[in-house]
């Protein structure tokens, strides 16, 4: 009975604590909302007219970004060493307290915008502090507030009550608390005033990287930015692509005041192939507390103050300095490969074979790259993409390849290194000079020596020599090579037979270069392990996973779960290919995962039956042959006019090869067969197709090609001609006439 009473008391205390915490948050959020709604922002009180944009789904009448960062000093237990606890139990800790307000006033013009802005969700609180962070005296405490109000056409303002939020627990063990809010009463023609507010209290951590974009999926009429940064912090700002000027003044308390305002309307971003980070007017901000000893502070940020558009070479030098700080450890090869049978012997064996001429330098470098990739993927060592490349450079030296050098670049989703502001967005690369071969952080199913599409054409820089006399005349700043469409091709080969009202299809997919990204949803752990082991067991090496019975059993269980998910993924792949749900998957097989540089193809086969592609027309049969080609990008009327370059993943080429068996007792209509012949070729790309009869089969082939990774805006019309031709071809049917 006593135990039962104690449990009841504990439950009551817990519920009271939860209720108290929830009440405190609501009071805190109400205070923030009152402050935000009371701000004097003329662009929100008297927004510009949006009459010009009546055909747009929505219009951002006004936007505001307010950022404040202050240096603070806290205290913490000095637990790094036992002697510290005894002699100096308390120490000071560098902190940053920051707030970030993002507010928008949006005109709702149609149902799509109404649905989008009729519901919001938000994580209300995040707290990072665990045992490891305790020893490092690291802590991150973040609160979030969402505010929404409706402005009716007659001027009435309706504030959404705090109590309208619903608390929902999500995430692992339901520890992530989110608030979901429905916006009742919002209608087409209304304006919605919405803000997101973030308050961060960071101990031994720098502020998260800040991005401000002055272009959106809806037109923006006005955008104001106001920042206040403590003069005892280091704040670096980079503006790009015609962003408004960031003006800096200093307040009486010496804080830096930064203001910028966009006063000229900016059109919405294009729907297709637009890279906002590279193409939109934007500002990127990094804020550091240089007194922080736990979180790395780059050299360029070790002096307090404000830096607007600093020299990109200074930021590049931050990356070189960080690279130099990585400690060299010759035993690390054994640490990374120790979980593999035969792993520790590889470096010595490769060195011996390379010296004796049994393998080439390229073969040795490629093998080492795949071994390191496999090692990281199958052990518990934490993967850092830059460390991977640097360790690889060490291990090349370990096996006798002495001409490897380091370089830096960045992916399409980060700032280019010639405009960078944040060192952590820079990627490290290894280049083997003698064979002119590049090696990158692990990216998808990249084979050794392949340049991932995200790096192609991007600015890069070689590591400067320590002494001028060591320079070899090559420019240190350069552009990464760009591949051809043939390097990034997909080939779909289909053998098709008509079976009553269904089609039986055996399809083989071959993917090269950037098209190997198609494997992300279908390849599973056993495919990857088997693929890497097949590659690694060559040159006399014998590599296998080394595990006890418990780990082997756990792996077998993971494999079973993964295969069930893969079966579902394969069904979805087939449905997506034809755009039809009525499909029965019979069989599938993974052939290659695309990591062997001698045949860097990711390939798989499927066998399935699909309904809905065969229709009776009296005694004749119509086959929707167009749907045997994969789905095509559709150009909408709103896409036709474009002033922005099209940023694609890479130059690409898509081939479809169809063999359709002519059913007994039928012949092919010559007129319907002719409709499958097409040829569109221009400076942007091509779409071509040919159809012919070969004995008892119809042979149809198509080719769609994108010539460039970045297509200039002046070629947009040419590109739409290619897209239109492919989309139209997919609507065609083949008539089989009864004999």
């Amino acid at each position: 009975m006593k135990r039962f009473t104690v449990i009841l008391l504990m439950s009551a205390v817990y519920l009271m604590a939860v209720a108290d915490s929830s009440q405190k948050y609501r009071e805190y959020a109400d205070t923030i909302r009152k402050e935000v709604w009371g701000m004097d922002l003329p662009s929100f009180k008297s927004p510009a007219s949006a009459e010009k944009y009546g055909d747009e789904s929505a219009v951002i009448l006004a936007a505001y970004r307010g950022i404040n960062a202050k240096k603070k000093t806290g205290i913490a237990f000095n637990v790094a060493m036992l002697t510290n606890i005894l002699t100096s139990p308390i120490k000071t800790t560098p902190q940053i307290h920051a707030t970030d307000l993002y507010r928008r006033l949006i005109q709702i013009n149609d149902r799509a915008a109404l649905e989008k802005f009729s519901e919001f969700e938000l994580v209300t609180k995040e707290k990072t502090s665990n045992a490891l962070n305790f020893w490092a005296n690291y802590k991150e405490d973040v609160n979030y507030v969402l505010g929404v109000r409706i402005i009716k056409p007659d001027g009435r303002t309706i504030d959404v009550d705090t109590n309208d939020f619903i608390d929902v627990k999500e995430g692992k063990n339901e520890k992530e608390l989110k608030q979901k809010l429905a916006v009742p009463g919002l209608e087409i023609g209304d304006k919605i005033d919405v803000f997101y507010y973030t308050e961060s209290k960071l101990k031994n951590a720098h502020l998260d990287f800040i991005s401000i974009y002055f272009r959106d999926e809806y037109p923006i009429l006005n955008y104001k930015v106001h920042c206040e940064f403590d003069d005892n912090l280091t704040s670096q700002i980079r503006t790009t692509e015609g962003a408004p000027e960031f003006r800096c003044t200093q307040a009486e308390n010496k804080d830096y005041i930064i203001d910028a305002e966009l006063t000229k309307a900016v059109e919405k971003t294009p729907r297709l192939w637009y890279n906002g980070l590279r193409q939109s007017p934007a500002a990127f901000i990094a804020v550091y507390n240089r007194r922080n000893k736990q979180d790395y502070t780059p050299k360029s940020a070790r002096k307090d103050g404000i830096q607007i558009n600093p020299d990109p070479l200074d930021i590049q030098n931050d990356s070189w300095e960080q690279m130099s700080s990585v400690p060299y450890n010759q035993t690390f090869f054994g640490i990374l490969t120790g979980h593999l049978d035969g792993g520790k012997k590889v470096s010595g064996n490769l060195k011996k074979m390379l010296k004796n001429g049994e393998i080439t330098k390229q073969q040795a470098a490629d093998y080492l790259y795949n071994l390191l990739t496999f090692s990281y993927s199958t052990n518990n060592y934490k993967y850092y993409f830059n460390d991977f490349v640097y360790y690889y450079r060490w291990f090349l030296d370990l096996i006798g390849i002495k001409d490897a050098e380091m370089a830096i670049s960045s992916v399409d989703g980060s700032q280019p290194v010639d405009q960078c502001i944040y060192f952590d967005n820079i990627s490290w690369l290894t280049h083997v000079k003698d064979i002119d071969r590049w090696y990158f952080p692990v990216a998808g199913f990249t084979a050794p020596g392949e340049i991932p599409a995200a790096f192609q054409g991007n600015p890069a820089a070689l590591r400067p020599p320590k002494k001028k006399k060591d320079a070899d005349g090559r420019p240190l700043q350069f552009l990464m090579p760009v591949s051809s469409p043939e390097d990034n091709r997909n080939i779909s080969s289909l053998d098709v037979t008509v079976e009553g009202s269904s089609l039986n299809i055996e399809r083989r997919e071959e993917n090269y270069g950037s098209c190997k990204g198609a494997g992300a949803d279908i390849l599973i752990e056993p495919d990857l392990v088997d693929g890497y082991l097949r590659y690694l067991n060559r040159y006399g090496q014998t590599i296998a996973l080394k595990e006890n019975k418990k780990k082997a059993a756990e792996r077998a269980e993971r494999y079973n779960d993964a295969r069930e998910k893969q079966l579902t993924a394969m069904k979805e792949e087939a449905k997506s290919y034809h755009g039809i749900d009525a499909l029965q998957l019979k069989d599938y097989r993974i052939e290659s995962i695309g990591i062997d540089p001698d045949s860097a193809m990711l390939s798989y086969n499927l066998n399935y039956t699909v309904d809905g592609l065969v229709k009776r027309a009296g005694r004749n049969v119509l086959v929707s042959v167009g749907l045997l080609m994969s789905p095509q990008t559709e150009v909408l009327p709103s896409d036709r006019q474009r002033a922005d370059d099209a940023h694609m993943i890479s130059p690409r080429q898509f081939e479809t090869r169809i063999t359709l068996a002519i059913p007994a007792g039928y012949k092919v209509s010559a007129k319907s067969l002719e409709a499958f012949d097409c040829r569109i070729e221009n400076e942007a790309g091509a779409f071509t197709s040919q159809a012919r009869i070969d004995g008892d089969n119809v042979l149809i082939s198509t080719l769609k090609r994108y010539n460039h990774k970045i297509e200039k805006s002046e070629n947009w019309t040419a590109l739409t001609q290619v897209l239109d031709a492919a989309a139209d071809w997919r609507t065609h049917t083949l008539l089989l006439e009864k004999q």
Side-chain angles (χ1 to χ4, degrees):
M1 184 65 182
K2 287 183 178 180
R3 182 183 177 190
F4 182 69
T5 303
V6 169
I7 292 174
L8 285 177
L9 287 172
M10 291 175 64
S11 299
V13 170
Y14 171 76
L15 291 173
M16 289 173 63
V18 170
D20 183 58
S21 175
S22 179
Q23 180 61 30
K24 285 183 178 179
Y25 173 79
R26 291 183 183 279
E27 292 174 358
Y28 164 78
D30 284 342
T31 300
I32 297 300
R33 292 188 187 99
K34 184 177 180 180
E35 292 176 358
V36 172
W37 299 140
M39 294 176 67
D40 184 17
L41 296 174
S43 59
F44 282 76
K45 292 180 178 179
S46 302
S49 171
E51 185 177 354
K52 174 184 174 182
Y53 299 99
D55 293 335
E56 298 290 349
S57 178
V59 183
I60 301 173
L61 304 174
Y64 176 85
R65 190 75 180 268
I67 303 166
N68 184 296
K70 297 289 290 184
K71 169 188 167 292
K72 299 289 184 180
T73 301
I75 59 173
F77 289 108
N78 197 3
V79 296
M81 295 181 64
L82 180 60
T83 54
N84 290 338
I85 298 176
L86 298 176
T87 59
S88 303
I90 301 296
K91 69 173 184 178
T92 59
T93 59
Q95 299 182 7
I96 296 179
H97 288 191
T99 61
D100 187 344
L101 170 65
Y102 180 39
R103 181 179 173 186
R104 293 182 297 172
L105 179 64
I106 304 166
Q107 173 77 42
I108 306 297
N109 286 342
D110 66 11
R111 183 159 296 279
L114 178 64
E115 291 178 358
K116 178 174 181 176
F117 293 105
S118 288
E119 184 176 285
F120 296 89
E121 75 170 34
L122 183 77
V123 177
T124 58
K125 188 176 183 65
E126 288 181 335
K127 197 170 186 177
T128 303
S129 183
N130 55 35
L132 179 62
N133 294 328
F134 173 76
W135 288 97
N137 281 313
Y138 168 86
K139 185 178 180 182
E140 183 172 352
D141 197 351
V142 186
N143 287 298
Y144 303 94
V145 177
L146 171 67
V148 179
R149 60 171 23 170
I150 301 169
I151 297 94
K152 291 293 183 179
D154 61 7
R156 287 181 297 122
T157 298
I158 303 172
D159 287 344
V160 177
D161 196 310
T162 305
N163 294 325
D164 289 336
F165 287 93
I166 299 174
D167 289 334
V168 179
K169 290 184 178 180
E170 296 181 352
K172 189 175 181 180
N173 299 322
E174 295 187 339
K175 289 186 176 180
E176 186 178 28
L177 180 64
K178 287 187 177 181
Q179 287 189 321
K180 293 197 174 184
L181 172 71
V183 184
L186 184 65
E187 299 174 302
I188 295 173
D190 290 348
K191 300 181 184 71
I192 184 169
D193 192 344
V194 57
F195 74 79
Y196 296 91
Y197 178 88
T198 306
E199 181 182 29
S200 306
K201 295 180 180 179
L202 311 177
K203 181 170 72 174
N204 278 326
H206 299 307
L207 198 62
D208 287 344
F209 186 59
I210 299 166
S211 302
I212 302 173
Y213 295 98
F214 295 93
R215 198 173 180 190
D216 200 279
E217 61 180 307
Y218 308 114
I220 301 176
L221 305 190
N222 182 277
Y223 196 145
K224 181 177 176 60
V225 177
H226 178 78
C227 306
E228 297 183 15
F229 295 132
D230 196 312
D231 70 319
N232 287 312
L233 297 174
T234 306
S235 304
Q236 298 174 324
I237 302 173
R238 171 83 63 215
T239 58
T240 62
E241 299 300 320
E245 179 186 2
F246 274 58
R247 302 175 304 278
C248 178
T249 58
Q250 208 162 4
E252 290 185 5
N253 65 356
K254 296 187 178 181
D255 283 357
Y256 291 99
I257 310 299
I258 311 295
D259 286 293
E261 186 169 10
L262 176 77
T263 56
K264 184 179 179 180
V266 176
E267 300 297 318
K268 68 179 181 181
T269 57
R271 184 180 66 92
L272 299 172
W273 297 313
Y274 183 80
N275 184 341
L277 191 143
R278 297 287 180 94
Q279 294 180 270
S280 290
F284 304 99
I285 304 174
V287 180
Y288 302 95
N289 185 344
R290 63 178 175 81
R291 297 149 190 85
N292 180 356
K293 303 301 181 184
Q294 302 295 337
D295 204 357
Y296 177 76
T297 302
K299 184 177 180 180
S300 67
R302 293 174 192 164
K303 183 178 180 181
D304 295 337
I306 196 83
Q307 303 172 28
I308 298 179
N309 293 319
D311 189 339
L313 291 179
D314 291 340
I315 312 301
Q316 291 183 22
N317 288 334
D318 291 339
S319 197
W320 300 131
E321 187 201 50
Q322 187 188 29
M323 196 180 291
S324 300
S325 69
V326 180
Y328 180 68
N329 185 347
Q330 288 189 339
T331 65
F332 198 59
F333 186 87
I335 295 173
L336 280 178
T337 60
H339 68 296
L340 302 176
D341 272 334
K344 291 184 178 181
K345 299 178 181 179
V346 170
S347 61
N349 292 343
L350 288 179
K351 184 175 183 179
K352 182 178 179 180
M353 287 188 291
L354 186 61
K355 183 178 180 180
N356 294 337
E358 299 173 53
I359 57 175
T360 66
K361 181 183 286 189
Q362 179 174 314
Q363 288 173 328
D366 288 352
Y367 186 95
L368 188 65
Y369 181 88
N370 271 346
L371 176 68
L372 190 59
T373 300
F374 184 63
S375 296
Y376 263 100
S377 303
T378 53
N379 71 8
N380 294 322
Y381 193 84
K382 190 168 184 179
Y383 171 76
Y384 295 97
F385 66 98
N386 279 345
D387 286 356
F388 171 91
V389 176
Y390 205 63
Y391 295 148
Y392 175 68
R393 158 69 182 82
W394 285 347
F395 300 155
L396 286 173
D397 185 82
L398 193 63
I399 67 172
I401 297 178
K402 304 293 185 179
D403 63 332
E405 56 189 355
M406 297 301 296
I408 57 174
S409 187
S410 60
V411 297
D412 293 334
S414 296
Q415 288 180 299
V417 294
D418 61 350
Q419 298 179 29
C420 55
I421 192 66
Y422 189 49
F423 75 98
D424 218 20
N425 285 340
I426 294 175
S427 296
W428 300 354
L429 322 175
T430 295
H431 179 242
V432 181
K433 185 177 176 182
D434 183 46
I435 57 176
D436 191 22
R437 200 160 172 85
W438 290 95
Y439 297 89
F440 293 79
V442 177
F445 313 104
T446 302
E450 282 188 319
I451 300 178
F455 286 96
Q456 292 180 21
N458 281 329
L462 286 170
R463 189 174 189 176
K466 292 182 179 180
K467 299 179 181 179
K468 288 185 178 181
K469 67 177 183 177
D470 295 330
D472 57 10
R474 289 178 299 161
L476 295 179
Q477 305 286 325
F478 62 99
L479 295 177
M480 293 300 300
V482 178
S483 57
S484 68
E486 292 78 11
D487 294 328
N488 305 287
R489 68 188 184 278
N490 162 259
I491 303 173
S492 301
S493 302
L494 298 88
D495 288 328
V496 184
T497 56
V498 179
E499 297 181 353
S501 60
S502 303
L503 291 182
N504 187 77
I505 299 174
E506 294 183 11
R507 176 161 56 91
R508 172 181 168 83
E509 293 290 334
E510 301 175 16
N511 297 282
Y512 300 83
S514 64
C515 287
K516 287 192 287 187
D521 294 329
I522 61 173
L523 294 187
I524 56 176
E525 183 182 351
D527 299 326
L528 298 172
V529 170
D530 291 346
Y532 272 100
L533 287 178
R534 278 200 303 271
Y535 173 85
L536 293 172
N537 283 288
R538 61 179 63 189
Y539 307 143
Q541 308 303 306
T542 302
I543 304 295
L545 288 174
K546 183 167 58 178
E547 55 191 5
N548 56 32
K549 290 183 178 180
K550 180 181 178 182
K551 287 190 175 181
E554 291 173 349
R555 181 160 64 94
E557 185 177 353
R558 289 199 311 273
Y559 280 17
N560 288 334
D561 292 341
R563 289 190 177 99
E564 290 182 9
K565 293 178 181 178
Q566 186 179 53
L567 177 60
T568 301
M570 281 297 189
K571 291 178 181 177
E572 291 302 317
E573 191 273 1
K575 291 178 182 179
S576 174
Y577 183 94
H578 299 286
I580 292 178
D581 289 335
L583 182 145
Q584 182 180 359
L585 181 64
K586 297 179 180 179
D587 189 23
Y588 70 88
R589 182 165 62 91
I590 305 296
E591 288 191 343
S592 171
I593 65 171
I595 54 92
D596 187 337
D598 294 330
S599 179
M601 171 184 67
L602 188 155
S603 61
Y604 57 92
N605 296 317
L606 304 96
N607 185 355
Y608 51 89
T609 299
V610 61
D611 297 328
L613 299 184
V614 178
K615 295 181 180 179
R616 297 288 171 180
R619 299 175 66 244
N620 301 328
V621 172
L622 287 171
V623 181
S624 297
V625 170
L627 294 180
L628 297 178
M629 183 174 69
S630 60
Q632 302 299 305
T633 301
E634 182 182 2
V635 182
L636 302 177
S638 58
D639 300 323
R640 296 289 171 182
Q641 300 298 318
R642 180 171 178 139
D644 299 279
D645 295 345
H647 282 232
M648 304 188 199
I649 185 174
S650 70
R652 286 163 295 158
Q653 182 167 296
F654 299 88
E655 301 177 39
T656 307
R657 302 169 183 174
I658 302 168
T659 301
L660 172 66
I662 303 172
Y666 288 85
K667 67 176 183 178
V668 177
S669 164
K671 185 176 181 180
S672 71
L673 188 64
E674 290 176 4
F676 286 95
D677 288 339
C678 176
R679 178 167 293 275
I680 297 290
E681 289 190 83
N682 55 44
E683 57 272 29
F687 179 78
T688 62
S689 63
Q690 292 178 316
R692 63 185 177 88
I693 296 175
D694 182 18
D696 294 332
N697 296 313
V698 179
L699 304 183
I700 303 175
S701 62
T702 71
L703 183 149
K704 183 177 70 171
R705 186 178 69 243
Y706 299 115
N707 286 345
H708 308 111
K709 179 176 181 177
I710 299 178
E711 195 60 68
K712 295 297 183 181
S713 59
E714 52 264 33
N715 288 338
W716 177 247
T717 299
L719 183 58
T720 61
Q721 291 171 356
V722 173
L723 299 173
D724 290 342
D728 178 68
W729 193 94
R730 205 165 182 264
T731 65
H732 291 180
T733 58
L734 182 68
L735 177 62
L736 302 177
E737 299 174 328
K738 184 71 174 178
Q739 291 182 322

